[in-house]
Amino acid sequence: MLNKLKGLYVITDDVLTPKDTMLQQVEKALQGGAKIIQLRDKNNSDEDIEKEVIALQNLCRSYRALFILNDRVELAMKLQCDGLHVGKSDYHRIKEIRTNFLGYLGVSCYGDIKKAKEMEYLGVDYVAFGSFFASPTKPNAAVVNTNVINKAKNILNIPICAIGGITTKNVSKLIEQKVDMVAVISDIWKSENIILKCEEFKKQLG
C-alpha cells in the first residue's frame, strides 16, 4: 500500500491552475512523472468542486497515480477519494477521520516530530513537514530546518513528504535526507514546460 507514497507530489493552486485549464495542466504533470496529485482549493464550496474531484480522481487512476483531496473531509468520504490530506485545524478529528475514511490519509506536521509520531499512532499513512524554503504559496510559513527529515526518519515508520518552496535547484538538499515525497506547486505550474519540469524532478528523485 505505501509504495504509492513516493516520488513527485504535485499540488494544484487556485491562481496557477485555474478551473478551466486545471485538468490539462495536471495531465501534463502526470505525463512528466508526477506520482501524486493533490487538489487544494481554498475558495470554492464542496458542491462547486465535486465535478473536478471526480475528474481528477479518474485522470490520476488512468495514469496509476494517487489522487489526494486537501482539507475537504466530508467530500473525500462522500466521493470515496483515494486520498485525503488535512492540517492543524483537523488534528482533533484524526481518530474519527481515520475510522471513517478508508483511503490514504496524510497530515501536515510543519516542524513538529512529536506531533508526527502522535499522528502515526492514530493511523495516518504519511506526514508532511515544511516549509523548508521560502514559499511563494505560503509567504508567512515558518521555515523548517531540513534535518527535521533525518530526525523524523529515525523515529517514524511511515513515509515523509517535504513541502514549501521546493524547486529543481534545491530539492537535492531534501533528497540527501532520504525524503520519500516532495510536494511542489509554484516551480511546476510557473514553468514554461510542465512535462519537462516534472521529468527533471523525477530524474533527481530517482
Side-chain angles (χ1 to χ4, degrees):
M1 180 177 157
L2 296 177
N3 62 352
K4 273 195 181 279
L5 299 172
K6 211 168 176 54
L8 179 59
Y9 184 143
V10 180
I11 301 177
T12 68
D13 178 83
D14 291 325
V15 176
L16 301 175
T17 55
K19 260 189 172 189
D20 53 344
T21 61
M22 180 171 62
L23 274 176
Q24 293 92 313
Q25 287 173 278
V26 166
E27 182 149 31
K28 283 178 180 169
L30 290 164
Q31 286 166 351
K35 291 291 177 208
I36 304 162
I37 300 288
Q38 183 191 112
L39 174 63
R40 182 174 182 268
D41 186 310
K42 297 293 183 189
N43 297 328
N44 296 293
S45 68
D46 282 7
E47 291 73 27
D48 287 340
I49 66 166
E50 199 165 308
K51 272 186 191 156
E52 274 81 21
V53 172
I54 294 164
L56 281 169
Q57 171 113 295
N58 290 334
L59 180 63
C60 286
R61 284 177 180 172
S62 73
Y63 279 87
R64 292 190 171 168
L66 177 62
F67 171 70
I68 292 183
L69 182 58
N70 180 278
D71 278 348
R72 314 294 183 109
V73 177
E74 279 67 32
L75 187 59
M77 288 179 189
K78 177 187 172 187
L79 299 178
Q80 297 185 333
C81 289
D82 289 338
L84 168 67
H85 187 94
V86 296
K88 217 176 262 182
S89 58
D90 284 306
Y91 281 175
H92 66 291
R93 299 180 62 191
I94 293 293
K95 208 171 179 179
E96 170 219 331
I97 294 168
R98 181 68 294 174
T99 304
N100 299 300
F101 179 71
L102 304 175
Y104 288 89
L105 178 59
V107 63
S108 295
C109 294
Y110 315 97
D112 191 341
I113 297 173
K114 196 176 160 204
K115 180 59 72 180
K117 190 66 189 168
E118 184 190 323
M119 292 297 156
E120 178 183 40
Y121 176 73
L122 292 172
V124 307
D125 296 297
Y126 75 92
V127 291
F129 292 112
S131 178
F132 286 103
F133 309 100
S135 165
T137 311
K138 287 193 172 181
N140 302 321
V143 172
V144 175
N145 193 305
T146 55
N147 68 11
V148 159
I149 297 168
N150 204 2
K151 287 177 185 168
K153 276 271 174 196
N154 293 322
I155 295 167
L156 304 176
N157 299 302
I158 52 174
I160 293 170
C161 177
I163 189 167
I166 299 168
T167 68
T168 45
K169 292 186 172 71
N170 61 28
V171 72
S172 59
K173 292 176 182 165
L174 301 165
I175 295 167
E176 282 165 13
Q177 305 279 340
K178 305 214 170 10
V179 75
D180 299 284
M181 299 161 272
V182 295
V184 188
I185 304 174
S186 302
D187 199 45
I188 284 169
W189 303 130
K190 285 181 175 175
S191 66
E192 283 170 23
N193 189 320
I194 292 168
I195 297 175
L196 281 179
K197 179 58 86 170
C198 289
E199 282 174 350
E200 205 181 318
F201 270 108
K202 191 183 169 191
K203 197 173 156 189
Q204 290 197 60
L205 288 162

